[in-house]
């Protein structure tokens, strides 16, 4: 059963959460990170992307870069810009986007639960992406980016969240992108015990987003275990910072595809091949799929609705995903996209950008775009429960958790 524990959180001092909270480090390229960091010296992005503190050509993976992240973090703690709880607590983190809210419990999860499969994943990770965060966490001696976890709805936890929200929040602000962020502390012993016991009765927890951050946090913990062979399992490095959300509150947005050419086919030849796998219906407006098994396609200034033919569909948890159908029945055999992770002819567009972005790309540098119906949270759970992996770019979660609002020190 899941071990989800309270911790002595490090959080922004009163009135500073809005200035400190920042989008995750990996939503920016290097130049975007530099510009964003320069606009706000208190932004946690300065710590999450410490290369922004050096000249543009500086090696972003040099030891002094990670040391800079450490120094900036702990200088802010010493200067009182962050406060550290005197005793272990849970927290709540609520995000509201377009009138829709989701509330997660901020806590620490066990690296052993990650190792033994109680915490389940649905993506592979790449060693080169892990390495940067391993070095960052190890140098900072703290986890700075929470892992986005999900669990099946639980009445005890639902009641605990409701009670905690009756208190005044620790912070309440709306960021530049229009998303409202609110946080609460749960420090009463009775409430903490109820939450811990409720999670202990949950069989499985799922990584929704942050697979590389999770893998990196676990590897730092294992490294610390090797360095301290007398560890007893209670040390902070045995746990990683997480925000856990009930499944019913989560929204997965579509993750769309654009392809740069038709692999030598004429428009008619391409449509003829597509029609063997899908029922094609020309539309006069942009097509946002309304159900599983349906896609939109934009080709040469025209939108089509594509309804997948049942004989090409399957109940397999992975192959039954709409993105898997697209790859298996269209991208590979028709457009010769063999590996979407490495083929530079395909690109992926998060649903937050809207269908207008698909049209823009087709007009600019692509031949065809596919608008997908979002993968559901139940499909994500099914893939993880089957201990299988989703195709690349299957899920796009919004809103994104801000970094810097809750930190977990490893000592």
């Amino acid at each position: 059963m899941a071990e989800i524990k309270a911790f002595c959180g490090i959080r922004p001092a009163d009135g500073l959460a809005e200035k400190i909270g920042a989008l995750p480090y990996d939503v920016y390229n290097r130049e975007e990170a530099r510009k964003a960091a320069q606009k706000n010296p208190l932004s946690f992005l300065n710590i999450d992307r410490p290369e922004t503190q050096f000249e543009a050509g500086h090696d972003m993976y040099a030891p002094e870069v990670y040391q800079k992240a450490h120094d900036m973090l702990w200088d802010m703690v010493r200067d009182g810009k962050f406060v550290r709880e005197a005793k272990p607590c849970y927290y709540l983190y609520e995000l509201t986007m377009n009138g829709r809210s989701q509330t997660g419990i901020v806590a620490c999860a066990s690296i052993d639960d990650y190792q033994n499969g109680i915490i389940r994943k649905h993506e592979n990770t790449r060693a080169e992406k892990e390495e940067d965060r391993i070095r960052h966490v190890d140098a900072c001696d703290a986890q700075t980016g929470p892992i986005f976890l999900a669990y099946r709805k639980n009445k005890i936890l639902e009641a605990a969240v409701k009670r905690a929200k009756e208190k005044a929040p620790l912070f309440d602000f709306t960021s530049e992108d229009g998303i409202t962020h609110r946080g609460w502390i749960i420090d009463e012993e009775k409430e903490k015990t109820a939450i811990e016991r409720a999670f202990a009765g949950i069989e499985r927890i799922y990584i929704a987003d942050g697979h590389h951050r999770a893998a990196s946090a676990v590897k730092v913990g294992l490294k610390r275990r090797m360095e301290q062979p007398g560890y007893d399992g209670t040390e902070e490095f045995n746990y990683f910072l997480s925000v856990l959300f009930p499944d019913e509150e989560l929204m997965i947005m579509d993750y769309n595809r654009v392809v740069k050419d038709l692999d030598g086919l004429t428009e008619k030849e391409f449509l003829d091949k597509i029609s063997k796998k899908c029922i094609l219906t020309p539309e006069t407006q942009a097509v946002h799929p309304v159900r599983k098994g349906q896609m939109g396609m934009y080709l040469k200034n025209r939108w089509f609705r594509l309804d997948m033919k049942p004989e090409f569909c399957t109940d397999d948890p992975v192959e039954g995903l709409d993105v898997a159908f697209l790859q298996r029945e269209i991208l590979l055999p028709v457009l010769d996209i063999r590996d979407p992770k490495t083929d530079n002819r395909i690109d992926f567009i998060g649903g937050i950008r809207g269908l207008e972005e698909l049209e823009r790309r087709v007009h600019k540098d692509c031949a065809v775009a596919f608008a997908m119906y979002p993968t559901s949270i139940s499909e994500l759970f099914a893939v993880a429960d089957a201990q299988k992996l989703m195709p690349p770019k299957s899920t796009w979660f919004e809103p994104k958790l801000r970094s810097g609002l809750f930190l977990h020190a490893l000592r």
Side-chain angles (χ1 to χ4, degrees):
M1 299 303 176
E3 183 185 4
I4 303 296
K5 79 179 196 79
F7 68 108
C8 295
I10 299 173
R11 55 183 175 82
D14 291 349
L16 291 182
E18 182 173 4
K19 291 184 177 297
I20 290 175
L23 284 166
Y25 74 97
D26 53 358
V27 306
Y28 299 96
N29 63 35
R30 188 168 185 176
E31 184 55 30
E32 290 169 342
R34 174 175 294 277
K35 289 179 180 178
Q38 287 174 346
K39 284 169 55 179
N40 179 6
L42 284 182
S43 170
F44 201 80
L45 187 63
N46 291 279
I47 295 169
D48 251 354
R49 295 290 294 268
E51 76 275 9
T52 59
Q53 309 303 302
F54 294 82
E55 294 296 325
H58 198 94
D59 179 4
M60 62 187 293
Y61 304 115
E64 62 271 17
V65 173
Y66 297 99
Q67 183 63 40
K68 183 67 174 178
H70 168 277
D71 295 346
M72 287 189 294
L73 170 59
W74 293 104
D75 283 349
M76 288 181 74
V77 173
R78 281 189 291 272
D79 292 345
K81 294 182 176 65
F82 283 101
V83 296
R84 188 171 186 172
E85 306 298 350
K87 65 177 183 178
C89 304
Y90 292 103
Y91 305 87
L92 298 183
Y93 181 14
E94 177 195 79
L95 301 96
T96 303
M97 176 176 138
N98 298 329
R100 181 186 164 280
S101 296
Q102 60 188 53
T103 304
I105 297 173
V106 185
C108 278
S110 164
I111 67 173
D112 290 318
D113 284 354
Y114 180 94
Q115 296 274 87
N116 62 28
I118 290 176
I119 296 174
R120 302 217 159 186
K121 56 188 178 180
H122 63 267
E123 286 182 10
N124 268 334
T125 55
R126 301 205 312 266
E128 66 272 18
K129 284 192 69 175
E130 290 178 21
E131 182 62 23
D132 169 55
R133 286 302 103 176
I134 289 171
R135 296 177 66 188
H136 190 275
V137 171
D138 208 22
C140 287
D141 214 15
Q143 293 146 1
T144 60
I147 315 307
F148 189 151
L149 301 181
Y151 60 90
R152 290 184 173 88
K153 179 182 176 181
N154 179 282
K155 290 184 178 179
I156 295 174
L157 294 173
E158 183 179 22
V161 167
K162 184 177 180 180
R163 288 191 297 270
K165 284 188 174 184
E166 293 172 354
K167 299 185 297 184
L170 295 171
F171 57 81
D172 183 347
F173 67 91
T174 299
S175 49
E176 290 181 356
D177 53 8
I179 295 168
T180 298
H181 306 262
R182 296 202 296 168
W184 292 263
I185 189 170
I186 302 176
D187 55 2
E188 303 90 344
E189 293 303 321
K190 180 180 177 181
E191 295 291 347
K192 290 192 293 183
T193 299
I195 291 172
E196 185 174 356
R197 287 178 177 172
F199 276 117
I202 292 177
E203 186 177 355
R204 292 170 185 168
I205 304 287
Y206 302 84
I207 299 177
D209 202 8
H211 282 77
H212 284 90
R213 289 193 296 276
S216 301
V218 169
K219 288 184 177 178
V220 171
L222 296 176
K223 175 177 177 288
R224 297 283 177 103
R225 285 180 174 183
M226 291 183 64
E227 293 168 349
Q228 302 179 41
Y231 77 93
D232 62 15
T234 63
E235 298 86 356
E236 292 301 321
F237 58 72
N238 294 290
Y239 301 89
F240 59 89
L241 180 65
S242 305
V243 186
L244 300 103
F245 292 88
D247 56 350
E248 67 173 9
E249 293 189 10
L250 297 181
M251 178 179 71
I252 303 178
M253 297 188 74
D254 41 308
Y255 216 149
N256 304 312
R257 277 84 168 126
V258 291
V259 181
K260 295 186 177 179
D261 60 66
L262 299 182
D263 196 39
L265 298 172
T266 65
E267 182 180 342
K268 182 179 184 306
E269 290 170 335
F270 175 68
L271 291 173
D272 286 345
K273 288 180 179 289
I274 296 287
S275 65
K276 294 178 181 177
K277 305 295 177 70
C278 301
I279 298 170
L280 267 67
T281 306
E283 299 285 357
T284 57
Q285 295 181 328
V287 177
H288 210 300
V290 297
R291 62 171 179 82
K292 180 175 170 59
Q294 187 177 92
M295 297 181 288
M297 183 176 73
Y298 189 62
L299 175 73
K300 295 282 183 70
N301 298 309
R302 290 194 294 167
W303 276 99
F304 296 85
R305 186 177 77 245
L306 276 57
D307 291 288
M308 304 171 193
K309 293 184 177 180
E311 59 266 32
F312 297 105
C313 299
T314 173
D315 292 331
D316 181 87
V318 175
E319 292 302 316
L321 298 172
D322 284 8
V323 291
F325 173 96
L326 177 65
Q327 174 60 32
R328 181 181 67 249
E329 304 296 345
I330 296 176
L331 297 181
L332 174 60
V334 178
L335 296 175
D336 197 35
I337 303 290
R338 299 179 181 274
D339 186 351
K341 289 184 291 188
T342 59
D343 197 317
N344 60 14
R345 294 170 54 229
I346 188 170
D347 201 1
F348 302 89
I349 311 294
I352 192 70
R353 294 179 176 268
L355 298 183
E356 299 83 4
E357 178 66 10
L358 301 187
E359 295 179 351
R360 189 189 73 83
R361 287 297 301 273
V362 168
H363 295 155
K364 177 187 177 184
D365 61 355
C366 293
V368 63
F370 297 94
M372 309 304 298
Y373 187 71
T375 301
S376 70
I377 193 70
S378 61
E379 288 178 314
L380 184 154
F381 284 3
V383 171
D385 284 340
Q387 299 186 33
K388 295 186 176 183
L389 302 174
M390 284 191 169
K393 312 295 186 184
S394 294
T395 57
W396 181 283
F397 283 91
E398 285 288 347
K400 303 294 185 188
L401 307 183
R402 290 306 194 267
S403 295
L405 298 179
F406 304 96
L407 311 177
H408 173 230
L410 298 188
R411 297 180 191 273

